[in-house]
Amino acid sequence: MPRDLRTLVATSFDVFMRAQQTPQLGAFGVARASREYREALKTCIFALEDRVETQAVNAAEEGEFLDLLKVSLAIWHLCELLLLRRGARGADKSLAYDLALWLQEHYCSTLLEKTESESERLKKQQKPEQDAAFWTTIQSMVMTGNGPNAWSLLATHSSYKSLVSRAIMSVTATSTKSSFQAVQKLLLTMPGRAEDDGAEWKHWNDTCQYLLNTDGFVKSNAGLTTLLEIMAAKEDVLKTHASTWYELMMAMLFLDEPKTNAHRYEYLMANCFRVYNSDETSMGNFDCIVLAIMQYDIQSAVQDIIALGFSWMAAHLVDLLQKSNTLVADELLPQTDCTLRERFLLQYAMEIGASSSMWQFAVRYYEYCPKFGAIAIRSALTREPLQTDYKTERLLSYCHGKQILAETQKHITIQRAQECKAKKAYASALHWMLRGNHLDQVDALCDDILLECDDTNSLTPLHEAVQFMEAHTELARPQKLAWLVWYREFQLVLDDLESLRQQLKTDEFLEDKRAGLESKVRFVSMEAAKRLGCLFSSTEAPKVLRSEVLQQAERLLKESPTVFGSRHLYSLMAYLQQLDRSFDHQQFYSSGSNKQLKDRIESLISRNLAEAMLQEATASGRSVDLPSRQVTSALVAQQQYLIADETFTPMED
């Protein structure tokens, strides 16, 4: 959507919301809202005109749309005059002149430009009255209601200019000057254009008739005679000098008595149209809409407005028509089972919602659609693309606290999570899955993270995901995700252990420092064994890491003296028994190396278990009897699996 139309949408949205928040808008409130809508549309038209003039791309298409906006502006303005101002004090007093000005603005803009350019050309001549266009230009200005401009040109008449500067004049010259000044006064006080000192129409018309019938100079000058006949609203003269029906209608509205045409404008338009056309059936679409509005045929006018295809006008205009009680508010349409207002609001909201970043306007319009608004909001939010976390937060903020959007809120979070997952932004994907409480999806994501680590031979995806979890302790932590956190901590401890062992290989340390370093190595090894025991005690250990975890267990079991506690060794034994009872144990053992690995671990467990129990007994100051095989099996069977939120002893500094 172009920027100009976005501005129109935003401005009209503000007007619409103010209108909805006022319980009783009243006639003046409706008229004010209508003017604000019209000004917003006019601003959009000016901006589009500037863009069309400067850009040659899509000029034809832009020109057609610009014409549609201009037609919409004209129709809205006419509806404001005839339908939306009804009931406002003084609205009917100047209606005839307002309609004449409406015709002048929307029908005769080209004619006004032409007469203005002709006037400027004639004013530069020494004797402009000798030009054939002199009197026709003045007459055209009078018929379009521009009395001051008409006098500005008439004042360049050589007969008048020669008298202005004279101090002493003959009787004839004085009479001629008086005639011009009388015409001047009439032109400057034309009905509908006069200021506070302007005369009423009847007095003004009587003066025109009197001057036309009694002034000798006027009678002797054919141009002035015709001009005064036009000013006196003689119908045959007006028909002769008007070239179109709207010029004739505009002249009659400006010059004829306002009461003559009051609330009979449709007949005036039809009569003027028949002067230049065979019948009313030859009217164009725009003229038909204008006639329907003048007939106060709201139903036909609205149908023709819909046919224009500009939903902005249909939605906002029908809303104001209902608020002004011109349309029945609760009448349902037979085919859609909703009101006319709701239908157009839905249509307009769907059109603007299809544009990028316009969803917030669309859903606010949907809120005022009682029948289908909730369904439309859910559909709009579900279909909205989620390119950024900021936009996702805005959608969730809108859904927050709305019970009807609870499922939509969950859909938004999983949709954003899937997009982050596709971009391999696993931390963000994890965040949105947990925000939406999609725990099954979290388990699947954990498997994907481990698979990515295996494919890239790097733990970076795992580190990113777990670091996010450490920063958001308020989020739920499913068992598989908890296992992933422990696995990452286990890997970090192994990295520390490897670093210490590398330091031991150097010969630069003194004996006391080497002893301290060896003590650290043993301490870190014991911490690794603790975490490994926690990994074995969880039922959510991923199958893809079975071999990896068992290999790490074998390395630690080879340490002497043992770094395992008896509790962790029992967890390891229980894990091996569970592995033997699993459905896919044959697949796991199909690799001979895995079978051999299990056998080696089982052979190492007995030694480590004996050492661990002796160490624990020595530490407690009690003697200990090594358990038999049956007792060991019973202890393994009683081993409780670690739950998701169980913690273990952290590493000491």
Side-chain angles (χ1 to χ4, degrees):
M1 181 181 292
R3 183 181 60 184
D4 311 315
L5 289 182
R6 290 178 182 270
T7 303
L8 173 63
V9 170
T11 306
S12 55
F13 171 76
D14 292 338
V15 180
F16 177 81
M17 293 306 297
R18 286 197 300 271
Q20 309 312 309
Q21 293 167 3
T22 305
Q24 297 294 331
L25 202 57
F28 281 109
V30 170
R32 182 175 62 252
S34 177
R35 287 193 299 271
E36 291 175 348
Y37 280 129
R38 187 157 52 88
E39 286 301 319
L41 182 57
K42 192 179 296 185
T43 302
C44 180
I45 290 174
F46 291 155
L48 282 175
E49 285 179 336
D50 294 340
R51 186 152 58 88
V52 169
E53 291 177 359
T54 56
Q55 297 180 0
V57 181
N58 298 328
E61 184 178 348
E62 293 281 359
E64 291 179 1
F65 184 67
L66 188 59
D67 291 339
L68 174 61
L69 293 185
K70 290 180 178 179
V71 168
S72 302
L73 177 63
I75 294 173
W76 187 292
H77 192 182
L78 184 62
C79 289
E80 179 182 315
L81 295 176
L82 294 176
L83 305 177
L84 299 177
R85 293 200 316 180
R86 298 170 67 182
R89 183 180 301 173
D92 294 338
K93 185 176 181 180
S94 60
L95 183 56
Y97 299 129
D98 289 338
L99 284 176
L101 292 173
W102 177 83
L103 287 168
Q104 182 189 91
E105 178 181 353
H106 299 289
Y107 271 97
C108 301
S109 57
T110 304
L111 177 62
L112 291 176
E113 292 176 1
K114 180 181 178 181
T115 54
E116 187 63 31
S117 62
E118 279 292 301
S119 175
E120 294 298 324
R121 182 183 67 82
L122 291 169
K123 288 178 182 178
K124 297 176 182 179
Q125 298 182 13
Q126 193 69 25
K127 291 186 176 182
E129 69 274 7
Q130 295 179 357
D131 194 304
F134 180 76
W135 289 108
T136 57
T137 302
I138 294 175
Q139 293 160 6
S140 180
M141 287 181 173
V142 171
M143 293 178 67
T144 56
N146 291 323
N149 290 350
W151 168 248
S152 176
L153 179 57
L154 182 59
T156 62
H157 196 290
S158 59
S159 299
Y160 177 71
K161 285 196 300 183
S162 62
L163 298 174
V164 172
S165 58
R166 289 187 188 180
I168 301 175
M169 292 180 289
S170 63
V171 175
T172 303
T174 302
S175 175
T176 301
K177 184 177 180 181
S178 299
S179 299
F180 273 106
Q181 289 176 340
V183 174
Q184 175 190 10
K185 184 177 180 181
L186 290 172
L187 289 175
L188 295 180
T189 58
M190 279 188 63
R193 305 289 294 183
E195 302 296 335
D196 295 339
D197 59 346
E200 293 291 337
W201 180 87
K202 185 163 186 359
H203 176 68
W204 186 86
N205 185 264
D206 290 343
T207 305
C208 290
Q209 296 283 0
Y210 178 80
L211 190 64
L212 179 63
N213 295 326
T214 60
D215 193 286
F217 180 74
V218 171
K219 288 182 177 181
S220 63
N221 190 301
L224 281 176
T225 301
T226 304
L227 178 61
L228 283 170
E229 288 176 343
I230 290 174
M231 294 167 66
K234 290 192 174 182
E235 187 173 347
D236 55 338
V237 180
L238 292 177
K239 290 179 180 179
T240 302
H241 288 81
S243 57
T244 58
W245 69 266
Y246 46 85
E247 290 180 39
L248 176 60
M249 182 176 178
M250 177 175 55
M252 296 185 73
L253 288 171
F254 271 128
L255 302 171
D256 204 356
E257 185 177 8
K259 293 181 180 179
T260 304
N261 301 310
H263 300 292
R264 299 178 66 253
Y265 304 111
E266 67 275 19
Y267 299 109
L268 177 61
M269 177 180 175
N271 292 335
C272 292
F273 189 85
R274 280 193 291 267
V275 173
Y276 304 94
N277 300 275
S278 57
D279 53 28
E280 298 174 17
T281 57
S282 58
M283 282 187 177
N285 292 337
F286 179 56
D287 295 337
C288 288
I289 296 175
V290 172
L291 182 60
I293 295 173
M294 289 186 176
Q295 292 172 339
Y296 299 98
D297 185 358
I298 309 300
Q299 196 70 25
S300 299
V302 169
Q303 290 178 356
D304 292 336
I305 289 172
I306 298 168
L308 292 176
F310 189 38
S311 60
W312 176 90
M313 182 175 67
H316 296 101
L317 181 59
V318 169
D319 176 62
L320 289 186
L321 288 174
Q322 283 198 0
K323 291 187 179 302
S324 63
N325 297 321
T326 306
L327 284 177
V328 180
D330 299 329
E331 184 177 354
L332 298 179
L333 298 176
Q335 297 179 348
T336 59
D337 196 27
C338 66
T339 63
L340 189 67
R341 173 179 178 271
E342 179 169 350
R343 176 195 168 186
F344 293 140
L345 287 179
L346 286 170
Q347 182 178 351
Y348 172 64
M350 283 190 289
E351 289 188 9
I352 63 174
S355 299
S356 175
S357 302
M358 300 297 284
W359 65 270
Q360 62 270 35
F361 294 112
V363 295
R364 294 301 302 277
Y365 279 102
Y366 287 139
E367 290 177 2
Y368 294 93
C369 301
K371 182 70 175 179
F372 301 108
I375 299 174
I377 290 174
R378 286 194 290 265
S379 176
L381 296 179
T382 301
R383 290 183 288 104
E384 188 66 22
L386 305 172
Q387 300 93 340
T388 63
D389 289 346
Y390 174 73
K391 184 175 182 180
T392 307
E393 289 286 3
R394 292 189 64 185
L395 265 70
L396 293 177
S397 176
Y398 177 81
C399 296
H400 181 69
K402 299 179 177 67
Q403 186 62 34
I404 61 172
L405 298 179
E407 290 299 320
T408 305
Q409 192 170 1
K410 295 187 67 175
H411 178 83
I412 291 172
T413 55
I414 192 59
Q415 181 181 347
R416 178 58 184 161
Q418 295 297 343
E419 292 192 8
C420 294
K421 179 181 174 181
K423 298 176 182 178
K424 296 185 178 180
Y426 295 112
S428 295
L430 197 60
H431 167 75
W432 293 114
M433 287 179 183
L434 293 175
R435 281 275 299 270
N437 201 30
H438 302 283
L439 302 185
D440 292 340
Q441 298 290 337
V442 171
D443 290 347
L445 180 62
C446 291
D447 293 335
D448 292 336
I449 292 174
L450 294 175
L451 184 61
E452 179 69 16
C453 292
D454 185 59
D455 292 342
T456 59
N457 196 24
S458 170
L459 294 177
T460 301
L462 177 63
H463 292 324
E464 292 177 354
V466 174
Q467 284 174 357
F468 163 78
M469 286 301 303
E470 292 176 348
H472 295 79
T473 56
E474 75 281 1
L475 296 176
R477 186 173 293 191
Q479 289 188 357
K480 182 168 285 190
L481 182 58
W483 191 95
L484 211 63
V485 173
W486 300 330
Y487 180 72
R488 187 245 184 183
E489 291 185 359
F490 173 66
Q491 291 294 333
L492 292 177
V493 173
L494 289 182
D495 291 342
D496 293 341
L497 181 60
E498 183 63 26
S499 176
L500 291 173
R501 285 174 175 169
Q502 290 296 329
Q503 293 181 34
L504 276 176
K505 291 181 180 179
T506 62
D507 298 328
E508 299 176 0
F509 296 103
L510 298 176
E511 191 65 29
D512 55 343
K513 289 187 177 181
R514 176 173 291 276
L517 195 58
E518 290 176 349
S519 176
K520 287 183 179 181
V521 169
R522 176 164 178 79
F523 172 76
V524 175
S525 298
M526 293 176 67
E527 291 295 330
K530 289 179 182 179
R531 283 157 175 77
L532 191 60
C534 293
L535 294 178
F536 284 131
S537 65
S538 174
T539 59
E540 295 295 332
K543 298 177 181 179
V544 294
L545 291 178
R546 284 172 175 171
S547 297
E548 171 68 21
V549 174
L550 289 176
Q551 289 172 11
Q552 297 294 344
E554 182 185 15
R555 295 190 185 97
L556 292 174
L557 286 170
K558 291 180 179 179
E559 296 282 343
S560 182
T562 183
V563 295
F564 282 92
S566 60
R567 180 168 65 93
H568 302 122
L569 290 170
Y570 287 134
S571 297
L572 176 55
M573 294 168 64
Y575 179 78
L576 294 176
Q577 289 185 6
Q578 182 187 8
L579 183 60
D580 290 337
R581 293 193 297 267
S582 63
F583 290 106
D584 59 342
H585 69 281
Q586 292 183 351
Q587 180 181 356
F588 179 73
Y589 292 140
S590 62
S591 173
S593 59
N594 289 338
K595 179 63 175 174
Q596 295 171 6
L597 175 62
K598 175 179 176 290
D599 294 339
R600 291 196 301 271
I601 290 175
E602 287 179 339
S603 65
L604 291 170
I605 286 178
S606 58
R607 177 185 65 82
N608 280 265
L609 183 59
E611 291 183 4
M613 296 183 71
L614 287 172
Q615 290 175 3
E616 292 169 0
T618 303
S620 62
R622 295 178 299 159
S623 61
V624 61
D625 295 328
L626 295 180
S628 64
R629 184 177 183 86
Q630 291 79 9
V631 174
T632 301
S633 300
L635 289 171
V636 170
Q638 294 174 3
Q639 176 71 27
Q640 297 294 322
Y641 293 123
L642 194 66
I643 59 175
D645 57 351
E646 183 173 341
T647 58
F648 44 82
T649 306
M651 292 180 61
E652 299 177 358
D653 295 334

